[in-house]
Amino acid sequence: MRVDEKDPGLYDFRPWRDRAPIRWPGGKTCAVWISPNLEYYEIDPPINPHRKSWPQIHPDVVGYGHRDYGNRVGHWRMADLMSKHGFPGSVSLSVALCQHIPEVVADAEARGWEFFSHGIYNTRYSYGMDEAQERAMIEDAIHTVREATGQTIRGWLAPALTHTPRTLDLIAEYGLTYTCDLYHDDQPGPVKVASGRLMSMPYSLEVNDHYGFFVYNMSPRDYADVLIRQFDRLAAEGEASGTVMCIPLHAYLIGQPHRIGAFEEVLRHIAADGRAWITTAGEIADHFLSTGAYAAAEADAARYGAGAEA
Amino acid sequence: MTLDPACLEYSRRHHGMDHDLYPYSSLFARPDVLWPGDKKIAVGVLVSLEWFPIVPGKAPFKAPGHMQTAYPDYRHYTSREYGTRVGFYRLLDAFAARSIRASIAVNAAIAERYPSIIADIIAAGHEIVAHSTDMDGTIDSTLPETEERAIIRAARDTLAAATGTVPCGWLSIARQQSWNTPRLLVEEGFAYACDWVNDELPYIQSTAAGPLVAVPFNHELSDRQIITVEQHSAESYVEQMQDACNWLAGEAQSRMLPLHVTPYIMGLPFRMAAFETLLDWLVARGDCAFLAGAELAAPFLQGLKP
């Protein structure tokens, strides 16, 4: 990125109209991927001077216990429901979960889910890291997931959404192909990095269960309605050019007994609709990178001037 | 810029939890629990009965619901008192009409100030859970151990004197504990605590002084969370609790549904009818046993006996 400039230079402008169309496999119009955040929050993490981990003095019993509920209760309930309706997970993983609770990681792997990195712990932040420290974190994530699951991670969602100006360059250099940290589009697109090739994978804050329940204070049924409306719109617009809908989840939120039933209606709706390509982030990335869509998006951007030549 | 290397040390990164209070356990990998009457769902009704001094003390943190305005904060002082004088009696009547046994988490100050309330609770057959001294009696790790122990003892002894029974259950204010709390509770004779929200069934916590049963009254299902924090209506609260109950009933094993309510929240005239509808609905199902905290903890305490 362009450090300290007004425009960070992450990508070129491309308006929603006038793009080379994306065609998903099987004539589907909306690629739907679910991203369970499988996380480990520490009870007594060291304090990063740029961000506090817990609102209460350690141990923050409710904060910690709430997250721990996700691994003891919520994950299993959420994962069974996803499997029942044919939805794989693309896991945003606190990689230390591989050490702490390998049962949850093994369960996700056994279901055929794929993993990308969400940092070491969700109580450790990238803010303030120098390059060597950030490289060590990225290398740790790659090695830990490979050792625990045999998978090579291809994507990155920054731990607790904390970045440095060099994060995107580094993950591209290490061979990762997508970032979930940019929220500028409902389609994948090129990201400008110093070396290698990186694409943005549409994730979502607005339909993230955390935002739904604790930013917008939605009831479980209201949140389910929002997801259904999000899908219906993206599936309709995707007739012209394929769209992406991500459903980012946290087992400690969606796995609650008062919420999971309403969420099942969402899965039922999307699975029955017929327009959804129910898939993973990795398959979306493969498709985007292997069918010429990445180059076509760059060509689209080249028609729109200033941002293109940076 | 370089981050303090201490922020990049991972000394507790190993198999299992990053503390010794309890081991990891999946809810779905445990033996089933048998509730009295072989009911599928144990409904735990927990009522927080709180007294807020109008002059807040220098507590470790300010309790949820405490005074907000410049002194004198009549609006919050009296709104909380409304719950104790009026709302709580609506709840007592609602429970009595349906023969529901509840747990009442009581600040010791309630027993000192309003002994007739304690008599009414005992006459109705409800369990009394110790809930600190008053709403200044908050606990966190900045509180010296001697002061924390004094709070726990004062709450226990005041309630024991008022009721003739030593309480065996504990609820911390805002469920917040210090590193010492579970051990101190065991040392002071408590069998269970309601602070931890990481599970849907009671489980054993280990302390240097012995075991303590954690009875999880999930804050996510409380009236404070759903109505006060998330700003939903009482009718939406009822729908959410019914959805929760239906879901739990559909799972293979026995489950627990926590109903944690607050007199100054749920006991208001415009909310009570909805809450009574929920109680009627739960009773009519026929698969719910209304159990007090000690009864919820009992199967897990028995498991500890040699």
Side-chain angles (χ1 to χ4, degrees):
Chain A
M1 68 173 281
R2 299 182 201 139
V3 177
D4 292 337
E5 291 188 30
K6 288 188 175 182
D7 175 356
L10 300 171
Y11 43 75
D12 290 327
F13 175 71
R14 286 185 299 135
W16 190 233
R17 62 176 67 148
D18 187 28
R19 293 182 180 184
I22 291 177
R23 301 292 175 212
W24 298 129
K28 304 296 185 184
T29 65
C30 182
V32 176
W33 68 289
I34 296 185
S35 185
N37 285 267
L38 301 185
E39 297 170 327
Y40 199 97
Y41 288 72
E42 297 159 285
I43 199 166
D44 192 24
I47 306 295
N48 183 308
H50 306 274
R51 181 168 156 180
K52 210 171 142 184
S53 300
W54 297 112
Q56 293 280 11
I57 298 289
H58 304 172
D60 185 330
V61 170
V62 171
Y64 179 89
H66 195 196
R67 272 60 174 203
D68 188 35
Y69 172 97
N71 290 321
R72 292 170 75 90
V73 182
H75 166 72
W76 307 93
R77 190 172 277 154
M78 171 189 74
D80 275 351
L81 196 70
M82 288 167 59
S83 296
K84 176 182 169 187
H85 292 280
F87 288 76
S90 308
V91 176
S92 161
L93 180 70
S94 293
V95 300
L97 191 69
C98 298
Q99 280 92 29
H100 286 288
I101 311 183
E103 295 91 333
V104 169
V105 175
D107 177 73
E109 192 196 351
R111 293 173 194 273
W113 294 7
E114 66 183 38
F115 299 90
F116 61 88
S117 171
H118 193 28
I120 312 289
Y121 288 105
N122 221 39
T123 37
R124 303 285 180 126
Y125 310 125
S126 309
Y127 297 140
M129 284 185 183
D130 64 28
E131 182 172 332
Q133 292 172 326
E134 190 163 14
R135 284 182 182 277
M137 171 182 66
I138 295 168
E139 290 171 13
D140 183 327
I142 293 169
H143 294 145
T144 301
V145 175
R146 191 175 285 154
E147 196 169 299
T149 71
Q151 292 190 28
T152 299
I153 58 169
R154 300 172 53 196
W156 192 264
L157 177 69
L161 310 190
T162 64
H163 320 97
T164 77
R166 66 181 81 79
T167 305
L168 299 175
D169 288 336
L170 289 180
I171 63 173
E173 182 191 318
Y174 280 101
L176 276 65
T177 53
Y178 64 89
T179 167
C180 301
D181 281 305
L182 308 179
Y183 306 107
H184 59 301
D185 217 296
D186 284 324
Q187 288 181 332
V191 176
K192 293 177 179 296
V193 286
S195 66
R197 191 166 67 153
L198 190 70
M199 58 177 277
S200 62
M201 180 64 62
Y203 184 73
S204 178
L205 298 181
E206 295 291 322
V207 302
N208 191 303
D209 58 354
H210 173 77
Y211 271 62
F213 298 128
F214 293 141
V215 176
Y216 296 121
N217 285 330
M218 291 178 201
S219 73
R221 292 186 185 201
D222 286 345
Y223 176 64
D225 287 345
V226 160
L227 291 179
I228 287 170
R229 286 199 292 274
Q230 177 94 344
F231 170 74
D232 286 350
R233 180 73 187 203
L234 288 172
E237 292 189 9
E239 300 284 347
S241 178
T243 54
V244 175
M245 175 175 174
C246 179
I247 306 178
L249 299 176
H250 299 77
Y252 69 90
L253 300 175
I254 202 68
Q256 296 278 348
H258 60 313
R259 298 195 177 118
I260 192 76
F263 182 65
E264 182 166 23
E265 296 308 314
V266 177
L267 298 186
R268 203 172 266 140
H269 176 90
I270 293 173
D273 182 86
R275 291 175 295 177
W277 178 31
I278 296 169
T279 187
T280 64
E283 287 182 355
I284 294 170
D286 280 343
H287 186 90
F288 187 73
L289 294 170
S290 68
T291 57
Y294 185 99
E298 284 189 315
D300 287 342
R303 294 199 298 275
Y304 286 90
E309 64 231 30
Chain B
M1 192 190 290
T2 295
L3 191 58
D4 179 349
C7 291
L8 296 159
E9 286 168 12
Y10 306 105
S11 58
R12 298 200 195 104
R13 187 174 175 186
H14 53 64
H15 185 242
M17 305 306 294
D18 58 336
H19 56 75
D20 299 321
L21 191 58
Y22 54 82
Y24 174 72
S25 166
S26 160
L27 174 72
F28 299 89
R30 294 178 214 160
D32 204 4
V33 56
L34 193 64
W35 299 122
D38 201 15
K39 298 291 189 184
K40 180 72 203 282
I41 295 171
V43 180
V45 179
L46 180 67
V47 181
S48 284
L49 199 54
E50 307 164 332
W51 188 67
F52 295 82
I54 196 169
V55 184
K58 287 181 182 169
F61 63 92
K62 192 162 90 171
H66 217 317
M67 302 301 109
Q68 300 286 327
T69 75
Y71 178 81
D73 186 350
Y74 283 178
R75 79 177 79 163
H76 289 100
Y77 181 80
T78 59
S79 297
R80 306 306 175 245
E81 284 270 283
Y82 176 95
T84 305
R85 303 161 62 96
V86 183
F88 183 62
Y89 281 87
R90 292 198 179 106
L91 292 172
L92 279 183
D93 289 345
F95 299 147
R98 296 160 184 82
S99 300
I100 288 171
R101 182 155 189 251
S103 296
I104 318 295
V106 183
N107 284 168
I110 294 283
E112 290 168 332
R113 297 169 55 84
Y114 314 121
S116 70
I117 290 186
I118 302 299
D120 292 332
I121 294 170
I122 291 170
H126 302 304
E127 180 192 11
I128 288 192
V129 172
H131 186 31
S132 198
T133 47
D134 60 30
M135 294 309 278
D136 285 347
T138 54
I139 289 167
D140 72 18
S141 294
T142 62
L143 194 65
E145 179 174 334
T146 50
E147 290 179 35
E148 180 176 356
R149 191 187 296 276
I151 286 175
I152 293 169
R153 283 185 178 169
R156 178 197 65 191
D157 294 346
T158 302
L159 292 170
T163 65
T165 305
V166 182
C168 66
W170 174 269
L171 174 68
S172 298
I173 293 170
R175 295 183 168 79
Q176 176 65 22
Q177 301 183 339
S178 75
W179 297 112
N180 298 319
T181 307
R183 172 176 55 83
L184 293 178
L185 291 174
V186 173
E187 287 174 357
E188 299 305 327
F190 288 91
Y192 75 91
C194 307
D195 295 336
W196 280 78
V197 297
N198 59 334
D199 214 305
E200 281 183 3
L201 284 176
Y203 68 94
I204 303 294
Q205 296 184 333
S206 301
T207 80
L212 181 71
V213 178
V215 180
F217 280 89
N218 187 348
H219 71 300
E220 279 262 51
L221 297 171
S222 67
D223 63 349
R224 177 178 301 286
Q225 179 66 31
I226 291 176
I227 293 177
T228 304
V229 176
E230 296 175 20
Q231 304 268 296
H232 301 161
S233 66
E235 289 68 28
S236 177
Y237 163 86
V238 170
E239 182 180 80
Q240 292 178 49
M241 299 305 285
Q242 290 173 331
D243 285 352
C245 189
N246 284 331
W247 187 272
L248 295 173
E251 290 190 340
Q253 295 182 311
S254 301
R255 290 287 178 256
M256 168 184 165
L257 178 71
L259 290 192
H260 187 181
V261 296
T262 313
Y264 69 80
I265 299 172
M266 194 59 82
L268 296 178
F270 66 97
R271 294 197 179 111
M272 270 308 291
F275 186 62
E276 288 165 342
T277 301
L278 173 64
L279 295 179
D280 286 336
W281 184 86
L282 289 167
V283 169
R285 290 177 62 92
D287 60 353
C288 295
F290 288 84
L291 301 182
E295 296 167 298
L296 292 163
F300 301 88
L301 282 169
Q302 282 160 12
L304 290 176
K305 287 177 185 160

Short mmCIF file of all heavy atoms in Angstrom, two decimals, chain A residues 8 20 51 54 112 119 130 143-144 148 153 192 195 250-251 269 275 277 282 300-301 304:
data_model
loop_
_atom_site.label_atom_id
_atom_site.label_comp_id
_atom_site.label_asym_id
_atom_site.label_seq_id
_atom_site.Cartn_x
_atom_site.Cartn_y
_atom_site.Cartn_z
N PRO A 8 -4.73 4.71 -0.11
CA PRO A 8 -3.76 3.66 0.17
C PRO A 8 -3.35 2.87 -1.06
O PRO A 8 -2.39 2.09 -1.00
CB PRO A 8 -4.49 2.76 1.19
CG PRO A 8 -5.94 2.99 0.92
CD PRO A 8 -6.04 4.43 0.49
N ALA A 20 -16.42 -6.86 -17.33
CA ALA A 20 -16.45 -8.16 -18.00
C ALA A 20 -17.20 -9.13 -17.09
O ALA A 20 -16.90 -9.20 -15.90
CB ALA A 20 -15.02 -8.65 -18.23
N ARG A 51 -4.14 -1.78 21.34
CA ARG A 51 -5.51 -2.27 21.50
C ARG A 51 -5.59 -3.22 22.69
O ARG A 51 -4.78 -4.13 22.83
CB ARG A 51 -5.97 -3.00 20.23
CG ARG A 51 -7.39 -3.51 20.32
CD ARG A 51 -7.90 -3.97 18.96
NE ARG A 51 -8.98 -4.94 19.13
CZ ARG A 51 -9.63 -5.51 18.12
NH1 ARG A 51 -9.30 -5.23 16.89
NH2 ARG A 51 -10.59 -6.38 18.35
N TRP A 54 -9.51 -7.22 26.36
CA TRP A 54 -10.77 -7.43 27.08
C TRP A 54 -11.20 -6.15 27.78
O TRP A 54 -10.36 -5.45 28.33
CB TRP A 54 -10.60 -8.53 28.15
CG TRP A 54 -10.26 -9.88 27.63
CD1 TRP A 54 -9.08 -10.55 27.80
CD2 TRP A 54 -11.10 -10.75 26.87
NE1 TRP A 54 -9.14 -11.77 27.19
CE2 TRP A 54 -10.37 -11.93 26.62
CE3 TRP A 54 -12.41 -10.66 26.38
CZ2 TRP A 54 -10.89 -13.00 25.89
CZ3 TRP A 54 -12.93 -11.73 25.66
CH2 TRP A 54 -12.19 -12.88 25.42
N GLY A 112 -14.37 -31.87 5.53
CA GLY A 112 -13.89 -31.39 4.23
C GLY A 112 -13.79 -29.89 4.14
O GLY A 112 -13.74 -29.33 3.04
N GLY A 119 -4.73 -15.37 12.01
CA GLY A 119 -3.71 -15.06 13.00
C GLY A 119 -3.49 -16.18 14.00
O GLY A 119 -4.02 -17.29 13.85
N ASP A 130 6.97 -5.11 13.64
CA ASP A 130 7.91 -4.80 12.58
C ASP A 130 7.86 -5.93 11.54
O ASP A 130 7.14 -6.91 11.73
CB ASP A 130 9.32 -4.56 13.13
CG ASP A 130 9.93 -5.79 13.78
OD1 ASP A 130 9.57 -6.93 13.40
OD2 ASP A 130 10.77 -5.62 14.68
N HIS A 143 2.82 -22.80 8.78
CA HIS A 143 3.36 -24.07 9.29
C HIS A 143 2.38 -24.78 10.21
O HIS A 143 2.24 -26.00 10.16
CB HIS A 143 4.69 -23.82 10.01
CG HIS A 143 5.78 -23.35 9.10
ND1 HIS A 143 6.75 -22.46 9.49
CD2 HIS A 143 6.04 -23.65 7.80
CE1 HIS A 143 7.56 -22.22 8.46
NE2 HIS A 143 7.15 -22.93 7.43
N THR A 144 1.73 -24.00 11.08
CA THR A 144 0.83 -24.63 12.06
C THR A 144 -0.33 -25.32 11.37
O THR A 144 -0.69 -26.46 11.71
CB THR A 144 0.31 -23.57 13.05
OG1 THR A 144 1.43 -22.97 13.70
CG2 THR A 144 -0.60 -24.20 14.10
N ALA A 148 -1.06 -29.38 11.27
CA ALA A 148 -2.26 -29.91 11.91
C ALA A 148 -3.20 -30.56 10.90
O ALA A 148 -3.91 -31.51 11.24
CB ALA A 148 -2.99 -28.79 12.65
N ILE A 153 -2.54 -23.00 3.63
CA ILE A 153 -3.50 -21.89 3.64
C ILE A 153 -3.28 -21.00 2.42
O ILE A 153 -2.16 -20.82 1.97
CB ILE A 153 -3.42 -21.03 4.92
CG1 ILE A 153 -2.02 -20.45 5.12
CG2 ILE A 153 -3.86 -21.84 6.13
CD1 ILE A 153 -1.95 -19.40 6.21
N LYS A 192 -3.44 -4.63 -5.36
CA LYS A 192 -2.08 -4.23 -5.74
C LYS A 192 -1.09 -4.61 -4.64
O LYS A 192 -1.25 -4.17 -3.49
CB LYS A 192 -2.03 -2.72 -5.96
CG LYS A 192 -2.83 -2.28 -7.18
CD LYS A 192 -2.82 -0.77 -7.30
CE LYS A 192 -3.60 -0.32 -8.52
NZ LYS A 192 -3.01 -0.76 -9.79
N SER A 195 4.74 -7.89 -4.81
CA SER A 195 5.15 -9.04 -5.62
C SER A 195 4.07 -10.09 -5.56
O SER A 195 3.26 -10.09 -4.64
CB SER A 195 6.47 -9.63 -5.09
OG SER A 195 6.27 -10.18 -3.80
N HIS A 250 -19.67 -16.78 13.73
CA HIS A 250 -18.93 -17.09 14.96
C HIS A 250 -19.77 -18.09 15.73
O HIS A 250 -20.93 -17.80 16.04
CB HIS A 250 -18.70 -15.83 15.79
CG HIS A 250 -17.90 -14.79 15.07
ND1 HIS A 250 -18.45 -14.00 14.10
CD2 HIS A 250 -16.59 -14.44 15.18
CE1 HIS A 250 -17.50 -13.19 13.63
NE2 HIS A 250 -16.37 -13.43 14.26
N ALA A 251 -19.19 -19.24 16.02
CA ALA A 251 -19.98 -20.29 16.65
C ALA A 251 -20.55 -19.84 17.99
O ALA A 251 -21.61 -20.30 18.40
CB ALA A 251 -19.13 -21.55 16.83
N HIS A 269 -33.23 -22.00 2.53
CA HIS A 269 -33.63 -21.09 1.45
C HIS A 269 -32.57 -21.08 0.34
O HIS A 269 -32.89 -21.22 -0.84
CB HIS A 269 -33.83 -19.68 2.01
CG HIS A 269 -34.14 -18.64 0.98
ND1 HIS A 269 -35.42 -18.33 0.61
CD2 HIS A 269 -33.32 -17.83 0.23
CE1 HIS A 269 -35.39 -17.39 -0.33
NE2 HIS A 269 -34.13 -17.07 -0.56
N ARG A 275 -29.93 -21.06 -7.61
CA ARG A 275 -28.99 -20.12 -8.23
C ARG A 275 -27.65 -20.05 -7.50
O ARG A 275 -26.73 -19.37 -7.95
CB ARG A 275 -29.62 -18.71 -8.28
CG ARG A 275 -30.79 -18.59 -9.24
CD ARG A 275 -31.44 -17.22 -9.15
NE ARG A 275 -32.07 -17.00 -7.84
CZ ARG A 275 -32.65 -15.86 -7.48
NH1 ARG A 275 -32.67 -14.84 -8.31
NH2 ARG A 275 -33.20 -15.75 -6.29
N TRP A 277 -24.07 -21.12 -6.13
CA TRP A 277 -22.92 -22.01 -6.20
C TRP A 277 -22.40 -22.13 -4.76
O TRP A 277 -21.76 -21.22 -4.26
CB TRP A 277 -21.85 -21.44 -7.14
CG TRP A 277 -20.61 -22.28 -7.23
CD1 TRP A 277 -20.51 -23.63 -7.11
CD2 TRP A 277 -19.27 -21.79 -7.45
NE1 TRP A 277 -19.20 -24.03 -7.25
CE2 TRP A 277 -18.42 -22.93 -7.47
CE3 TRP A 277 -18.73 -20.53 -7.66
CZ2 TRP A 277 -17.04 -22.83 -7.67
CZ3 TRP A 277 -17.34 -20.43 -7.86
CH2 TRP A 277 -16.51 -21.56 -7.86
N GLY A 282 -11.59 -21.05 -1.41
CA GLY A 282 -10.52 -21.56 -2.28
C GLY A 282 -11.03 -21.85 -3.69
O GLY A 282 -10.34 -21.56 -4.68
N ASP A 300 -10.75 -4.08 -17.21
CA ASP A 300 -11.86 -3.17 -16.90
C ASP A 300 -11.34 -1.92 -16.20
O ASP A 300 -11.70 -0.80 -16.53
CB ASP A 300 -12.88 -3.86 -15.98
CG ASP A 300 -13.71 -4.91 -16.70
OD1 ASP A 300 -13.76 -4.89 -17.94
OD2 ASP A 300 -14.30 -5.76 -16.00
N ALA A 301 -10.49 -2.15 -15.21
CA ALA A 301 -9.97 -1.03 -14.41
C ALA A 301 -9.16 -0.07 -15.28
O ALA A 301 -9.18 1.15 -15.08
CB ALA A 301 -9.12 -1.54 -13.26
N TYR A 304 -10.55 3.14 -16.59
CA TYR A 304 -11.03 4.19 -15.68
C TYR A 304 -9.94 5.07 -15.11
O TYR A 304 -10.00 5.53 -13.99
CB TYR A 304 -11.89 3.58 -14.56
CG TYR A 304 -13.23 3.19 -15.10
CD1 TYR A 304 -13.44 1.91 -15.62
CD2 TYR A 304 -14.26 4.12 -15.18
CE1 TYR A 304 -14.65 1.56 -16.17
CE2 TYR A 304 -15.47 3.77 -15.74
CZ TYR A 304 -15.66 2.49 -16.24
OH TYR A 304 -16.85 2.16 -16.80
#
